[in-house]
Amino acid sequence: MFRITRLFTLVALVLFGFMVSLSAQDKKNLEPEDYGQWQSITSTSYSDDGNWFAYNISLVDGDGWLMLKKVGSDSTGEHKFMHGINATFSEDNRWAGFQIGVSEDQREKLEEQKQQVKYKLGLMNLRSAEVDTFENIQSFEFAETGTHLLMTKYKPEDQKSGGNDLLVYDLNSRQNQLIGQVSEHAFNEEGTLLAVSIDASEKLGNGVQLLNLANRSMTVLQSDTANFKDLTWSEKENSLAFLKSEPDENYEDQTHKIYAYQNLPGGMQPKVFNQSQYDNFPSDVRVVDYRDLQWAEDRESVFFGIKKWEKKETPEKKEGEDEEAESDSTKTDMKKDLNEGLDSTNVEIWHWRDDQIQPRQEVLRNQLKQDNHLSAWHLDANTFVQLGDSLVEQVQLAGDHEHAVGYVEKPYEPTFEEEWRDIYLIDVETGEKEKILERREFVSTSPGGDFLLYFWDNEWRAYNIDEREEVNLTSELETRFENYHLVNGREQQSPFGSGQWSEDDEWVLLYDEYDVYRATPGGNSITKLTNGAAGSIRYRQVRLDYEEDFVEENAPLYFQMYGDFTKKRGYARLDRRDRLQTLLYEEKQIARLDKAEGAEKFVYQAESATDSPDFFYAEESFDNPIALTNTNPQQEDYYWADDELVTFQNERGQKLQGRLLYPANYEPGKQYPMITYIYERRSQDMHSYTIPTRTSPYNFRRFSSEGYFVFQPDITYELRDPGMSAVESVVPAVEKVLESGMIDEEKLGLTGHSWGAYQTSFIITQTNMFNSAVAGAPLTNMVSMYNSIYWNAGITDANIFEISQGRFPDPWWMDWDKFIDNSPIFNIQNTETPLLVEFGTDDGAVDFNQGVELYTTMRRMEKPFVMLVYEGENHGLAREENQIDYATRAFQWHDHYLKGEDAPAWIEEGLPYLQRPEMKEEGNSGR
């Protein structure tokens, strides 16, 4: 019997091997023309009962679609809608609404004709699967009750002002109620009342109206020719507040009255805030409309913003001006002649005492124009209280709205490193301010409003607002709560993080490197809830309900799990008895956990290097999950490689890892070229699925399909030595992979973007192990880069160097040798590696001149170097044509220097300026 079993097994193995061989022979190489069919799941939606799942499919090239899937059904429960997006389920789980767009070709035609793309609305009955379509619907929204659907129609093309028509659709009776010229609408929390503001073209019908959905009755709350906006409901008890514009002929802009209705629909008599009726309301100040109104938790106060009210300029006549006008005419004419024909200057004054440098002020100009001070209107007492002012400009309400936290930056400006602030506690009832902390960055408030939470001197601390007392929550534990892996030069190290508070402020979740702790804010108890350190598994809370800021009493906690050295991922649950259960933990990338609001039903996404990202359905136990999607089935037709985890030690003896992706159709015993892609830590990319595309010069799947290994090693850092730190991690990592014998050591490429590009450019000055290098927007001169501006944000790069990624805690004049030692440009004479660099002329992160400096230096040294310059592009290329061009040239560069393929003319000879292709689009006229 044993011999028969062995013989059967042997025959089965031979047959299996033969079938695998036949299967492999049926596969084909993945080519760029095949990439367009690859799918991605973008937005998703999950019904409250957990029975329906919606997801959008987008293609690398082509039109996407929307799928509505009945959970647990076969393909008959799937409904496909081309060009569908933004699916939403009604609260009663009976309906699904979604927008229906147009094809990409049609969209391009409409945009060329400068016509608006108008969407339709699809409405599907989830019980019958019947679908109704409504034309020209700009947006839609279900009432919380699930009984009504709001549809906002597009304005007619000839209507330049006023609101939109709003359709209120009764889902039971199938009847519409039209409300015209609606500029804004808002449901109450229960979805039984609908407030609308009317903005009529002629202004005669402007106002705020209230629709009672139960009986379809409409009540006019206010009516005037003024503008009404910012409809704001309280979370409970149906209180409504809104603004009414109030112009003044002596002032620019407008101020606003505030109307507050309590207990609608019964309480129809509003309370009105009119600033002229309050003696303590500052003069020349107005109520603004760009800070949202907010109800206090107890509905006894409304919060709003005030700002200085600019007076209109009115020329004043001086006494005797008429008599002197004639005698002074000659002098006036002479003065006019001196400046005649000249425009007014637009000079910027860059002052060394500027709190924010001019570029930062430019980036923040809209925010600065709208700076305002938080204020409170207490309804019962009918009092006005200003909470923020010119000193305390930033104000954050505490959870119970009885106190606010104010931040004062002035003592520490201008800021060169961390942004320090003094912390003030503000009494919302009186406006009184008390400084409670000095020289901090930020604090968070508990949802109940009893405590402030902050991290200082590597410990978590809570501040009891009533007792005015600080308590150290973590000092008794031996574990470390500061993220000691971060090397950035900050004076105060950042924490590993924190989770949510409990509903009643009894505890808060805190993290060390691997575990989650439940700490009482009084400091009398801290409990470790997980046991991650034993297996180097990191646990972090997963929020499944973003409507609440706290964890409800007796609610389970969900944690994401990540194996630091295994790269496994999954989820765990802690029940109310503190029993921890692992729900899912696999050698995959697992993310996007979602829970049905009204049932113990879940969906999540899983992927690996060889498994396209798909969503799965699981019930409470997470046993036997069911696949809901099946993306990219065409992958089976192509050679497709897996990845492997590589462990190595850097030159400082640290244990690090890297992800190694194999070439497609890998043959054991054969040696292959390898591309090493770098940034900082990259091994967490293990088990990730890469969609092939022609638009990325760093696309791992394309490298794999074209016969390359792709390696992503971790890099760790020492302060003042970022470049050398990269060398000390990357070189031993590559040497470790070479030990396998699978890689040809004469065919090694190195690549990266931004910080990865800097390291690429530097590493090739310290070693000649790489035969090809491609760097997208690299930092090249650490001194001039320190002195540059990060234009996208308007901040100095000095700040990034001293407390962030640059990792130079001191400026260059205090650490000259290290700046020079870690600059590619001052070491580039040592390189023998051909280098391709890419830059956009409008790069707002790494200044374009970083590329110019390297180009002129390497050109003078006669080193093999090419720089691709893309007119008008920023740090990442935006135009698809440029993305494809850069990617194509990057692959050609590697293919030539690593595979020996013939060099295109641009590598050998460049491209003369007069042969440069003309830009088709306007708006990129030059540097």
Side-chain angles (χ1 to χ4, degrees):
M1 184 67 180
F2 175 71
R3 291 180 60 191
I4 294 175
T5 302
R6 288 189 59 187
L7 179 61
F8 178 80
T9 303
L10 178 63
V11 171
L13 287 172
V14 170
L15 288 173
F16 177 76
F18 179 69
M19 292 173 65
V20 169
S21 176
L22 287 177
S23 176
Q25 291 175 11
D26 292 339
K27 293 184 181 296
K28 52 189 177 182
N29 293 322
L30 182 66
E31 303 292 345
E33 54 266 27
D34 302 317
Y35 298 168
Q37 59 189 313
W38 251 258
Q39 306 167 2
S40 298
I41 297 176
T42 53
S43 59
T44 64
S45 183
Y46 196 29
S47 65
D48 285 354
D49 62 2
N51 292 331
W52 285 89
F53 181 67
Y55 60 97
N56 271 101
I57 292 289
S58 63
L59 298 179
V60 170
D61 185 14
D63 296 329
W65 60 87
L66 169 70
M67 294 292 295
L68 294 180
K69 167 80 173 180
K70 186 170 177 60
V71 174
S73 69
D74 56 20
S75 59
T76 60
E78 294 181 336
H79 306 270
K80 180 177 179 179
F81 302 94
M82 289 302 300
H83 315 129
I85 58 171
N86 299 331
T88 301
F89 294 102
S90 63
E91 298 290 330
D92 63 358
N93 306 298
R94 293 180 55 194
W95 305 91
F98 51 91
Q99 291 181 291
I100 304 172
V102 297
S103 68
E104 286 298 318
D105 289 342
Q106 184 64 22
R107 178 182 295 274
E108 290 178 5
K109 290 179 182 178
L110 290 171
E111 289 175 351
E112 287 175 2
Q113 298 168 4
K114 301 189 182 304
Q115 294 186 24
Q116 185 179 17
V117 177
K118 294 185 178 181
Y119 287 84
K120 303 175 185 177
L121 172 68
L123 179 64
M124 179 173 167
N125 186 318
L126 297 180
R127 295 178 178 176
S128 66
E130 295 179 358
V131 178
D132 292 325
T133 303
F134 301 83
E135 299 286 337
N136 297 325
I137 302 300
Q138 185 173 338
S139 62
F140 72 96
E141 179 183 359
F142 286 108
E144 190 78 12
T145 58
T147 58
H148 290 80
L149 171 68
L150 296 190
M151 295 178 277
T152 301
K153 295 183 68 66
Y154 289 95
K155 291 180 183 178
E157 294 182 3
D158 57 352
Q159 181 182 326
K160 304 303 181 185
S161 62
N164 300 57
D165 286 347
L166 183 70
L167 290 175
V168 183
Y169 184 66
D170 189 318
L171 292 164
N172 294 320
S173 66
R174 301 289 188 97
Q175 292 184 334
N176 278 323
Q177 185 170 355
L178 175 65
I179 308 174
Q181 305 289 296
V182 174
S183 59
E184 187 180 340
H185 66 268
F187 280 115
N188 66 339
E189 187 71 14
E190 292 79 18
T192 57
L193 301 173
L194 175 68
V196 296
S197 60
I198 306 299
D199 182 12
S201 300
E202 302 299 326
K203 304 299 181 185
L204 294 177
N206 284 8
V208 174
Q209 301 178 16
L210 184 70
L211 175 64
N212 189 323
L213 294 174
N215 56 24
R216 301 176 67 179
S217 63
M218 183 73 82
T219 303
V220 177
L221 299 180
Q222 289 294 317
S223 180
D224 202 336
T225 56
N227 293 320
F228 295 84
K229 59 179 59 177
D230 200 10
L231 304 172
T232 304
W233 289 95
S234 61
E235 290 188 8
K236 301 176 182 177
E237 305 298 333
N238 296 336
S239 294
L240 175 69
F242 54 84
L243 297 173
K244 175 187 176 183
S245 64
E246 290 286 324
D248 189 308
E249 62 181 11
N250 296 315
Y251 290 89
E252 302 286 351
D253 300 311
Q254 296 176 330
T255 189
H256 297 81
K257 290 181 179 178
I258 306 173
Y259 287 77
Y261 290 80
Q262 296 175 296
N263 300 318
L264 288 172
M268 289 297 184
Q269 188 62 35
K271 294 181 178 180
V272 182
F273 180 88
N274 185 342
Q275 66 190 62
S276 63
Q277 298 175 358
Y278 298 85
D279 294 337
N280 65 331
F281 194 94
S283 59
D284 297 333
V285 167
R286 67 189 181 95
V287 177
V288 300
D289 59 354
Y290 41 74
R291 184 176 195 132
D292 292 339
L293 297 176
Q294 183 179 356
W295 282 95
E297 188 77 14
D298 59 8
R299 300 181 304 108
E300 294 180 2
S301 303
V302 175
F303 300 100
F304 58 97
I306 63 174
K307 181 180 178 64
K308 182 180 178 181
W309 203 358
E310 299 291 342
K311 287 188 175 182
K312 291 182 179 178
E313 293 184 5
T314 54
E316 297 182 4
K317 279 188 178 182
K318 296 181 180 179
E319 188 174 348
E321 185 176 35
D322 292 338
E323 292 80 2
E324 297 174 6
E326 186 174 346
S327 63
D328 289 342
S329 62
T330 304
K331 295 179 182 179
T332 303
D333 290 341
M334 288 178 63
K335 290 180 181 179
K336 287 182 178 178
D337 290 341
L338 289 175
N339 294 322
E340 187 175 357
L342 296 179
D343 291 333
S344 58
T345 180
N346 64 343
V347 64
E348 293 182 2
I349 298 178
W350 293 39
H351 199 282
W352 69 279
R353 285 181 173 171
D354 284 340
D355 295 338
Q356 300 277 9
I357 64 173
Q358 289 288 319
R360 181 62 175 166
Q361 294 178 48
E362 182 180 0
V363 169
L364 297 176
R365 60 189 180 275
N366 291 332
Q367 178 181 324
L368 294 173
K369 289 178 182 178
Q370 295 187 352
D371 273 350
N372 60 88
H373 301 311
L374 182 66
S375 302
W377 171 32
H378 301 303
L379 275 66
D380 288 348
N382 194 22
T383 56
F384 163 79
V385 177
Q386 183 175 337
L387 304 178
D389 53 35
S390 58
L391 176 66
V392 186
E393 294 181 330
Q394 288 182 274
V395 178
Q396 167 192 358
L397 289 169
D400 61 357
H401 297 163
E402 293 181 6
H403 293 89
V405 177
Y407 298 92
V408 176
E409 302 172 341
K410 290 293 183 184
Y412 311 103
E413 293 179 332
T415 297
F416 299 107
E417 295 176 336
E418 287 100 327
E419 295 184 353
W420 302 115
R421 302 166 179 86
D422 291 338
I423 310 298
Y424 283 73
L425 193 63
I426 305 172
D427 188 315
V428 169
E429 188 70 27
T430 66
E432 293 180 0
K433 299 176 178 65
E434 175 187 355
K435 184 163 69 172
I436 58 173
L437 296 169
E438 290 187 344
R439 202 171 175 272
R440 297 293 193 269
E441 288 188 89
F442 273 107
V443 300
S444 63
T445 64
S446 63
D450 297 327
F451 298 93
L452 308 180
L453 182 70
Y454 47 95
F455 194 72
W456 187 255
D457 284 344
N458 297 336
E459 303 286 356
W460 280 104
R461 300 162 192 269
Y463 186 89
N464 187 311
I465 291 177
D466 289 338
E467 302 295 332
R468 300 296 196 271
E469 180 184 29
E470 178 186 90
V471 177
N472 190 318
L473 305 183
T474 53
S475 60
E476 299 300 319
L477 297 181
E478 294 183 2
T479 188
R480 299 175 68 177
F481 288 89
E482 80 277 12
N483 189 346
Y484 57 89
H485 295 300
L486 294 177
V487 178
N488 50 28
R490 288 172 53 90
E491 176 186 319
Q492 290 288 325
Q493 192 63 282
S494 301
F496 280 108
S498 61
Q500 287 181 281
W501 285 81
S502 65
E503 184 174 3
D504 49 11
D505 285 1
E506 285 193 0
W507 49 258
V508 63
L509 299 178
L510 306 174
Y511 306 147
D512 69 3
E513 183 173 7
Y514 292 115
D515 287 301
V516 181
Y517 296 78
R518 183 176 58 217
T520 57
N524 54 347
S525 172
I526 184 166
T527 305
K528 186 165 74 169
L529 303 178
T530 59
N531 190 30
S536 297
I537 301 172
R538 186 178 68 209
Y539 287 82
R540 295 294 183 260
Q541 184 196 7
V542 179
R543 289 187 63 176
L544 298 178
D545 182 3
Y546 281 88
E547 292 185 2
E548 299 292 352
D549 295 331
F550 51 79
V551 178
E552 293 182 355
E553 187 177 2
N554 294 326
L557 293 171
Y558 290 85
F559 301 116
Q560 187 175 49
M561 302 170 64
Y562 171 69
D564 202 0
F565 296 104
T566 65
K567 309 307 175 190
K568 288 184 175 182
R569 284 175 168 82
Y571 294 106
R573 179 170 53 220
L574 185 81
D575 67 19
R576 62 181 182 179
R577 298 181 181 177
D578 287 354
R579 294 176 298 189
L580 186 67
Q581 176 188 5
T582 298
L583 304 174
L584 190 70
Y585 192 54
E586 300 177 2
E587 291 185 348
K588 290 187 174 185
Q589 292 265 2
I590 297 176
R592 299 174 75 173
L593 180 68
D594 195 8
K595 179 185 177 298
E597 188 173 320
E600 295 301 312
K601 299 177 180 180
F602 303 82
V603 294
Y604 65 89
Q605 180 179 275
E607 65 180 273
S608 72
T610 56
D611 296 321
S612 180
D614 277 309
F615 274 85
F616 294 82
Y617 163 78
E619 296 185 348
E620 186 174 14
S621 67
F622 274 71
D623 294 334
N624 304 314
I626 300 171
L628 295 176
T629 64
N630 181 30
T631 56
N632 299 312
Q634 76 284 352
Q635 177 191 312
E636 293 298 320
D637 299 334
Y638 300 93
Y639 294 114
W640 200 268
D642 206 346
D643 58 2
E644 176 183 325
L645 192 61
V646 176
T647 302
F648 65 95
Q649 278 193 342
N650 67 9
E651 292 184 15
R652 298 187 298 278
Q654 292 176 304
K655 178 183 175 182
L656 300 176
Q657 294 180 304
R659 181 205 186 205
L660 183 66
L661 179 65
Y662 276 63
N665 198 21
Y666 167 73
E667 298 177 20
K670 181 179 176 181
Q671 286 194 324
Y672 292 83
M674 183 176 77
I675 299 295
T676 299
Y677 176 86
I678 56 175
Y679 195 76
E680 293 190 357
R681 287 189 179 267
R682 294 293 307 170
S683 62
Q684 69 274 13
D685 205 40
M686 186 72 186
H687 306 309
S688 63
Y689 187 92
T690 304
I691 290 176
T693 174
R694 296 191 302 132
T695 58
S696 171
Y698 321 113
N699 187 267
F700 308 137
R701 186 54 62 183
R702 181 175 179 180
F703 277 121
S704 171
S705 297
E706 296 190 10
Y708 290 93
F709 275 94
V710 186
F711 187 39
Q712 301 176 69
D714 289 338
I715 300 173
T716 59
Y717 299 91
E718 294 287 318
L719 278 180
R720 304 171 60 232
D721 258 337
M724 292 306 302
S725 296
V727 175
E728 292 167 356
S729 292
V730 173
V731 170
V734 173
E735 289 174 342
K736 181 65 177 180
V737 176
L738 289 176
E739 293 177 4
S740 68
M742 300 183 297
I743 290 96
D744 188 334
E745 64 180 12
E746 300 297 324
K747 298 179 179 180
L748 300 177
L750 184 64
T751 191
H753 191 82
S754 191
W755 186 251
Y758 154 65
Q759 295 170 119
T760 295
S761 301
F762 183 80
I763 288 171
I764 63 173
T765 72
Q766 304 297 308
T767 176
N768 289 323
M769 76 186 313
F770 295 101
N771 312 97
S772 172
V774 175
L779 298 73
T780 63
N781 181 339
M782 303 305 264
V783 176
S784 61
M785 186 66 192
Y786 176 98
N787 290 325
S788 298
I789 303 295
Y790 194 101
W791 296 102
N792 288 342
I795 61 176
T796 65
D797 281 310
N799 183 266
I800 298 173
F801 268 63
E802 294 188 31
I803 63 168
S804 184
Q805 194 172 48
R807 299 181 172 89
F808 283 97
D810 297 314
W812 58 266
W813 58 88
M814 297 174 61
D815 203 4
W816 176 262
D817 290 344
K818 285 295 185 180
F819 271 76
I820 298 302
D821 291 345
N822 286 272
S823 293
I825 200 167
F826 297 119
N827 296 275
I828 204 69
Q829 71 275 7
N830 301 323
T831 189
E832 299 297 331
T833 305
L835 175 61
L836 175 67
V837 163
E838 171 272 331
F839 259 102
T841 60
D842 292 354
D843 195 320
V846 179
D847 195 279
F848 172 61
N849 279 326
Q850 290 291 298
V852 174
E853 288 187 42
L854 188 60
Y855 168 74
T856 56
T857 301
M858 293 194 73
R859 181 174 181 270
R860 181 64 181 85
M861 291 180 179
E862 300 187 76
K863 298 282 187 179
F865 177 88
V866 172
M867 183 163 73
L868 307 175
V869 177
Y870 294 95
E871 194 75 42
E873 291 280 15
N874 205 305
H875 195 51
L877 302 180
R879 298 180 71 241
E880 185 180 14
E881 297 87 347
N882 289 340
Q883 294 171 354
I884 293 172
D885 183 83
Y886 175 32
T888 300
R889 295 183 193 276
F891 275 86
Q892 289 174 343
W893 187 269
H894 290 306
D895 289 346
H896 171 61
Y897 287 106
L898 301 183
K899 291 182 176 180
E901 295 186 6
D902 292 340
W906 68 270
I907 293 180
E908 296 287 353
E909 304 169 2
L911 179 67
Y913 182 84
L914 294 180
Q915 296 179 23
R916 177 186 175 207
E918 292 289 337
M919 295 280 289
K920 291 183 178 181
E921 295 183 5
E922 298 179 357
N924 294 312
S925 57
R927 291 188 286 279

